[in-house]
Amino acid sequence: PLILRMVDSSMGCLNYEYEAKDVRETGEDESIFCPTRSALAQQVQQLCDKGVLALCLASLSCRCPSLRQLAIAILYHFSRVLDWKEAHDLTSWRERPQLLMVLSSLQRGLVARKAERTDIEPDDSEDASIPLIPAVSAIFLARASLIIAKPGDSLYAPLNRYFLRIKSNFGAYNDLYRLPAFIS
């Protein structure tokens, strides 16, 4: 909750850039409002380096819907920050495109799975919007996010090729409910 609160409050602050612009014109200190987008991108980079992204991905297999909902919210905010120009401009964050690739693939996979399920059987339950994926897939994605951030790892090249090779459903991760990446 602390991570989500930090990212969410900073993201909400960034929606009010026009207020900070008014303050700059009057000569007041703008740092009282919120961090800049580049500062938030650096914070998200530090959180990714510490494994928060992997923890959120692993949490998608938890039976507690509140924890899964929290993990999805953090992943959503992280994916937004990963796509910002300020994140692109961080030269120290070389693994950013690969992390964005993994998160985008997961997001597309979840959307494709939800579309398949609603075509077969409409589900009106509240937990239907909070996906529960098998532990083996969640742990695979968590480990993949850690490995894909380290180009020196021996599994980096095969994992990178695996995610780059996904073509169906516009790059959707299709192994959510199968054994992941066990390909020949």
Side-chain angles (χ1 to χ4, degrees), residues 6-170:
M6 184 265 313
V7 173
D8 196 27
S9 66
S10 298
M11 299 275 290
C13 238
L14 295 171
N15 292 331
Y16 301 106
E17 288 180 2
Y18 62 90
E19 291 177 9
K21 191 182 294 182
D22 293 341
V23 170
R24 275 183 250 139
E25 291 170 0
T26 62
E28 295 177 27
D29 183 21
E30 71 177 272
S31 63
I32 59 172
F33 283 99
C34 62
T36 62
R37 287 172 74 115
S38 60
L40 182 60
Q42 288 174 346
Q43 290 173 345
V44 169
Q45 177 190 7
Q46 291 171 350
L47 291 171
C48 286
D49 290 344
K50 292 181 180 180
V52 171
L53 184 65
L55 180 64
C56 291
L57 290 168
S59 297
L60 294 178
S61 68
C62 182
R63 293 197 187 277
C64 175
S66 300
L67 185 60
R68 288 194 321 269
Q69 187 174 21
L70 184 66
I72 286 176
I74 293 171
L75 291 172
Y76 167 74
H77 286 303
F78 275 26
S79 66
R80 283 185 56 195
V81 172
L82 285 166
D83 211 17
W84 283 352
K85 180 192 178 305
E86 291 79 7
H88 288 260
D89 294 342
L90 287 176
T91 57
S92 62
W93 203 1
R94 291 185 209 115
E95 65 274 6
R96 185 202 54 78
Q98 281 80 15
L99 293 173
L100 184 59
M101 174 182 60
V102 171
L103 285 179
S104 297
S105 181
L106 171 65
Q107 180 184 14
R108 290 181 186 118
L110 290 172
V111 169
R113 176 65 177 189
K114 185 174 183 178
E116 288 173 7
R117 290 189 67 202
T118 55
D119 287 345
I120 297 170
E121 55 187 51
D123 193 2
D124 296 333
S125 71
E126 190 175 306
D127 290 343
S129 63
I130 307 168
L132 171 65
I133 63 175
V136 68
S137 294
I139 298 301
F140 169 76
L141 288 167
R143 293 284 296 154
S145 72
L146 293 172
I147 291 169
I148 211 91
K150 296 179 181 115
D153 195 294
S154 61
L155 289 175
Y156 174 82
L159 275 175
N160 198 31
R161 273 195 308 271
Y162 172 74
F163 281 103
L164 287 172
R165 190 173 27 197
I166 300 174
K167 298 284 187 226
S168 63
N169 293 329
F170 303 101

